[in-house]
Amino acid sequence: MLESVLVANRGEIALRVIRACQELGVRAIAVFSDADRSAPHVLAADEAYRLGPAPASESYLRVDRILELARRSGAEAIHPGYGFLSERASFAEAVEAAGFVFVGPRSETIAAMGDKTEARRRMQEAGVPVVPGTVEPLVSGTDAVRIAEELGFPVVLKAAAGGGGKGMRVVRGKDEVERAFDAAAREASQAFGDGAIYVEKFLATPRHVEIQLLGDAAGQVVHLGERECSIQRRHQKLIEEAPSPAVDGELREAMGEAAVRAAEAVGYRGAGTVEFLLAGREFFFLEMNTRIQVEHPVTELVTGIDLVKWQIRIAGGERLDFGQADVTLRGHAIECRVTSEDPAHGFLPATGRVRSLLLPSGPGVRWDGGISTGVEIGLHYDPLLGKLIVHAEDRAGAVATMRRALRELRIEGVETCLPFHRRAMDDPDFQAGRFSIQFLEQRPDLLEGRLSSNARLAAALAAALLEHKRRDGFHPRTATGFREGSSLTAWQRSGWPWSNGG
Ligand code: MV4
């Protein structure tokens, strides 16, 4: 087992890693920006070191400073969390070169999966289905037109150095291709310093379903089933769950086997995720994420396997002590990402000081948070405040538990996206598992609490019908025996019986 781990991150994921270290008996070392000097991850760690003068948004990206603090603290390993330096192959390489253990895959694996055309090539060779399209960058606009016509419209142009939807362009007809190609190439070279573009057939309303993997240094790889991640806004996931309502045992096995082949093809070590687009029962490789992901807890709850502890054990050279046949799924888990974004104002990032924080608890509830009362929420960092995760015997039970937990959770002092989550959990389409990656674009009523034009029309019709009936002497309240003004009994008005006399 590793003796110590420096956590090169902040917020809820830093705290999550520190917690895993402490349960494993590993010394947990935090680093912090000046803005974070009394943040929960700093208070929870065994030791904490100041990153020092730098704009707050850059502190956690200071590779040299992080390596210096690793030396000074005598850290054996560095855990990058997610975001920040987690998927920079050059960081993994620098960590290893400085004599520390990088908690994650080999830097060559990170580099190969970061190049999206190389990833597609390697996956195709490994027999993993990829979306029809090119595995080499397009050489010119005319090349793009020719290949797009062969594929058939619509197609999507993507940046080879991109990922996560950055620099993506959907093209619906031949006359748009060259302009879109030029614009995409220009944007990609500005954003990534690499203008390489490739093309895929565009799938209109697939689901985003991803497979969690663990691989050890001895080359054993297991999958831990899927997560459904289709509920997202502008490539930011908001709700994730496991298992997916669209995946049965047979499909899970097929996707899981494909993901394991993908990992074996790159000698994968540690925790990783293979993202797929799922259309009906057809699935296509999209990207491989070489880090721990925000939504990892839903997998932990349905498998009973602690992914962060396994990252640390694997980095320390331990082998997986279970095989594929030992992985079984139990019940259903849902995660709501709680962000400081205001749904009533187009998910505008909100700021403020957390004045009070009431966390939900009780059966089936987990809170992975990175905030405490008094902390200032600014605009320097990602708006994720924490994640509310629930587990129950089945999906309907998990929705019920989440609704209850969302009622209990109170965050005052900063606007959050909680109103959105409450509406989503009440929604019949969400409850039925009827959605694709387009879901929230089609549902401004859920996203912003505003009615879509269809819903407004339906509401207006219902109101007109009700008014018409009322004129005929119909009283909707009396019909259910719930008369205005008489809904409280005498003892309810005088206080609840169990609140008197202790
Ligand atoms: C696609 C696609 C449809 N067809 N590729 C967006 C993020 C990046 N990882 C890939 N993305 C997409 N690639 C083809 N060929 C639709 C998306 C996409 C998407 C994918 C996953 C989750 C949410 C999404 C939202 C919009 C578009």
Side-chain angles (χ1 to χ4, degrees), residues 131 156 158 165 168 200-203 208 232 235 287 437:
V131 190
V156 55
K158 296 183 178 182
M168 238 179 73
E200 289 177 358
K201 178 99 188 147
F202 179 68
L203 309 177
H208 176 166
Q232 52 82 40
H235 305 298
E287 285 174 24
I437 60 174

Side-chain angles (χ1 to χ4, degrees), residues 326-396:
D326 302 313
V327 179
T328 55
L329 304 186
R330 174 166 172 169
H332 201 98
I334 304 177
E335 171 175 286
C336 289
R337 295 191 187 190
V338 180
T339 66
S340 51
E341 293 173 310
D342 183 2
H345 294 94
F347 275 70
L348 196 72
T351 59
R353 205 170 66 86
V354 177
R355 277 189 293 101
S356 83
L357 180 63
L358 273 175
L359 297 178
S361 51
V365 177
R366 166 172 167 181
W367 169 255
D368 276 22
I371 57 167
S372 54
T373 308
V375 304
E376 196 71 45
I377 307 301
L379 297 172
H380 303 303
Y381 301 113
D382 180 288
L384 186 69
L385 302 176
K387 306 172 315 203
L388 180 56
I389 315 122
V390 301
H391 184 231
E393 287 298 320
D394 56 25
R395 192 170 186 275

Side-chain angles (χ1 to χ4, degrees), residues 364-432:
V365 177
R366 166 172 167 181
W367 169 255
D368 276 22
I371 57 167
S372 54
T373 308
V375 304
E376 196 71 45
I377 307 301
L379 297 172
H380 303 303
Y381 301 113
D382 180 288
L384 186 69
L385 302 176
K387 306 172 315 203
L388 180 56
I389 315 122
V390 301
H391 184 231
E393 287 298 320
D394 56 25
R395 192 170 186 275
V399 171
T401 303
M402 184 60 88
R403 291 174 84 175
R404 188 269 293 173
L406 285 166
R407 290 179 61 161
E408 289 183 12
L409 175 55
R410 273 163 210 251
I411 301 173
E412 267 148 42
V414 60
E415 292 296 329
T416 71
C417 67
L418 283 166
F420 158 73
H421 286 303
R422 295 187 180 114
R423 287 189 291 271
M425 291 302 132
D426 289 348
D427 181 67
D429 285 326
F430 178 78
Q431 290 179 357

